[in-house]
Amino acid sequence: MLAVAVFSLVLAASCVHAQDGPLPIVFTPTFGTLMGGDELVFTAPNITSSGGQVYCRFGVVDQVTVAGVVGPDGLTSCITPVLYEIGRVSFQVSVDGGSTYSYGANFTAVLGMEGVNLVDINSKWQRPIKSATSPLDLAAWRELIKEQLTLTWDRDSFDSASVNVELWGYKEEGSQASWDFMYSVARQVPNTGTYTFRPESTPDSVYHTGKIRVSGFTEQEGVPNIRALWSNVHALAWQFEELFYQDPVTWSTQRCMAWREAEKELPNFVPDMPPCPCTLQQALVDTGRFQLDTGCALSLGSTCTYHPGAVHCVRSIAASPDGAGQQCCYAADGRELFTGDTAGGSTPDRGHVFGAPPYRVPPRVPSYSHWIHDVTTFYYCCLWSDNCDVYFELRPTDDCTRYVPPKAGAVFGDPHVITLDGRSYTFNGLGEYTLLQADDIGLRIQVRTAQVSNAQGELVHATACSSFAMREGASDTVEVRLPRARDTEVPQVLVNGEVVRFDTPVITLSGVYVASVVPSNVTVHFQSGVGVEVRSEGGLLTALVLVPPQLKSKTQGLLGSWNDNPDDDFTTPSGDTVPSTADQMTIYNDFGASWAITSQTSLFVYSAQEEAMYADKHDPDFTPIVNPPALPAESAEGRRMAQICGDNDQCVFDFTATRNEVLAASTRWAHDWYQAVSKDTRKVATCPYVPTPEHGSKVGGPSYVENGAVTIACNEGYTPHPTRTVTCRRDGTWDGVPGTCVASNATTAAVAGGVIGGVAVLCVVIGLLVWRMRDDKESTRSEDYKDDSKKDSTQET
């Protein structure tokens, strides 16, 4: 259930100059774990070993101050404290004993970076006695609790010959969150990098979630803010009270039920959850609002421990107003999994896995609130007892009926642009331009182009994308660019001007997340739900921008004004609209060039060469090829172009303009990618959820989207009624009444009763008809009698 995010900064000189504070300081590393224990080394003017006490202060609202140590070489170090927020954290330094803090910068706190490995953490330390789908095995449980536990760490992290091993617990009480020392697991252990022990039960406490800390030996226990390594956060099953080991089911059931009662006192966060994408395909392409769950992802091998039957899960990027997060899981056939159908279904989280601004306050603390409210409780109800129904009742699957897909726009090749309204055009200017902006959220996405070469390496009058820079509001600035050395096709990622390396798939930053599972692909996720996918193909960059529906009618730039009217997509910053029927050079000069950025608005990082090259943000002396001459179809080049491009117009344009086969092939690939994403982001009809029938089950993988079906199977002695299978129609309704399971004798009785009733009705109808016919005959006879009587009377007269 827990996703992990961490990154490393790659610095040319192993340190970074920060300008955010009143005076600059130089420090390294510029990032560290939320749990602290990292040694921060820096220099600053007026710091000497004979000077006053140095203090480091972290944070603005909840400030934490730690003492620094000045070495004889003038290097000062401070140990980072436990923090309860991710992203940029204010870091200030005092050199006069704390009277004034004259130096400052920003330190980046990230999730992850655990330095202590708990061997077999899932099977031994957290001690599940069952899987979410398997029955309890108490015999195996009895054997498990006898096993020893092992932890490992990097012995070179400490200078000392021995270490302390401690257990720290996490708790939330009201508006306060805290990591507290619980007890020493072992003291003065030889620093060999490994330790094995047999755990013992302890008196029950409020701490059911915690971490192991390994630190250099000190006489005092539980000393905060010292050099240390931490383990993963985990459920503390290995040291619970004796009652847990004697009867884990009863013990866990009690806590599961207590949790259910406590949940009733908390706000209902579920209605405010962002809706899940309806299909796996939608979930994979909606990169603005959802990112992969590293605990269950196709690209990471689909190891879905907490969601059996799923192959991929995604998590909402933005937290709800209550700080909650959505999780959506999917089967291999693309359907969303529901907890009413399978233990591997989608479950929302009261605590967003990455926390929620302003952090620090429960349930907004990154990762740890999620563990308290959503993970440990899953162990109570599902893995240590048979009460998954309780958990799923409080964490129900979203049925996706509210989901509206994003809209895609693209830029690729020499550059060809497809606007959010679907208008295609070519703008091959040389410079830096606004690809997309949305003033309501302070979004800026900028693109830089560079001149390209033909097959012989000669520059031609064509360009391609070489870098994208972006920021939303006060978020970190992210730039994705081709490396300057061009010795690799893997794009570089810069955060606030510094190159980053991906140690894990997701980087968690201030107001933005960056993911790179495949080195050639980088995805930038903003809090608003805007996603930017940058891919390198053939040494060329392509960008696909996904925009959520709330930004409709609020966008500008080369990707157009998204309002479902492609005729006004060529709107300039001044509000003038170039006709959609204008020729290419008019579009180039009057629309495309108008979106050149300025030095003041640029988000790019420049080398000295780039600064000179892009002094003019739009090169007025560059004249692109806008109407390349057609190649004879029977010529060798014509046949080669047909082989590469087929009927793709953009590919044909790039081939004829540049004779660059790699560029042309990249263009066709990019256009196909855009078309596939556009198809996957279409609205899909959905039908209401069908509950599992009493005395039966759903079979065959129930699907609630258009053309999906739900089929029920009834237990012995029961029969589906009135239908066994229903299919979801395009209008979002089932083609029949979803069936239930009724007793077979009741069905027979019902059928027999229906037949008897039908016969009775038929007899009544026949009787009425006979009576009517007889009545008609009597009436006729009566009339005939009257006529005869009249005749007789006349004759008598």
Side-chain angles (χ1 to χ4, degrees), residues 522-670:
V522 177
T523 303
V524 183
H525 313 265
F526 287 106
Q527 289 283 350
S528 66
V530 172
V532 184
E533 289 198 59
V534 181
R535 295 189 179 183
S536 174
E537 178 70 18
L540 300 165
L541 292 185
T542 291
L544 202 66
V545 181
L546 284 301
V547 182
Q550 63 266 29
L551 290 183
K552 193 171 184 178
S553 301
K554 297 179 181 179
T555 67
Q556 295 177 291
L558 295 180
L559 289 180
S561 306
W562 177 28
N563 57 7
D564 294 335
N565 177 20
D567 290 336
D568 67 357
D569 276 352
F570 300 150
T571 300
T572 68
S574 63
D576 296 329
T577 300
V578 176
S580 60
T581 56
D583 62 78
Q584 279 293 106
M585 284 308 299
T586 300
I587 295 173
Y588 178 90
N589 289 315
D590 296 351
F591 169 67
S594 73
W595 283 106
I597 63 175
T598 66
S599 297
Q600 292 72 34
T601 61
S602 175
L603 301 176
F604 292 101
V605 175
Y606 298 87
S607 65
Q609 181 181 6
E610 289 168 336
E611 197 164 2
M613 184 182 301
Y614 294 99
D616 290 324
K617 301 306 180 185
H618 172 70
D619 188 342
D621 298 323
F622 179 78
T623 303
I625 299 173
V626 295
N627 292 302
L631 290 172
E634 66 279 2
S635 67
E637 284 188 321
R639 291 194 298 271
R640 181 59 178 159
M641 180 183 69
Q643 182 182 4
I644 294 173
C645 297
D647 59 357
N648 185 282
D649 293 338
Q650 289 91 342
C651 177
V652 169
F653 181 102
D654 288 358
F655 189 98
T656 54
T658 68
R659 301 298 199 274
N660 188 323
E661 294 185 5
V662 174
L663 172 61
S666 173
T667 296
R668 179 174 182 175
W669 168 87

Side-chain angles (χ1 to χ4, degrees), residues 33-36 58-59 64 81-85 89 107 109 179 365 368:
T33 174
L34 230 61
M35 293 304 298
F58 296 83
V64 181
V82 175
L83 298 168
Y84 297 86
E85 58 183 306
V89 177
F107 173 80
W179 277 100
V365 179
Y368 310 132

Side-chain angles (χ1 to χ4, degrees), residues 452-476:
V452 298
S453 305
N454 59 20
Q456 289 72 43
E458 301 166 337
L459 290 176
V460 295
H461 286 266
T463 61
C465 303
S466 61
S467 184
F468 296 92
M470 57 207 82
R471 183 175 65 199
E472 181 179 282
S475 76
D476 287 327

Side-chain angles (χ1 to χ4, degrees), residues 128-164:
I129 57 177
K130 61 185 290 291
S131 73
T133 56
S134 68
L136 299 174
D137 187 349
L138 289 178
W141 164 258
R142 304 281 187 233
E143 292 300 316
L144 178 64
I145 62 177
K146 299 176 184 178
E147 294 188 11
Q148 293 182 323
L149 302 178
T150 298
L151 58 120
T152 62
W153 65 92
D154 181 7
R155 57 178 299 179
D156 295 331
S157 299
F158 306 105
D159 296 329
S160 58
S162 59
V163 297
N164 289 346

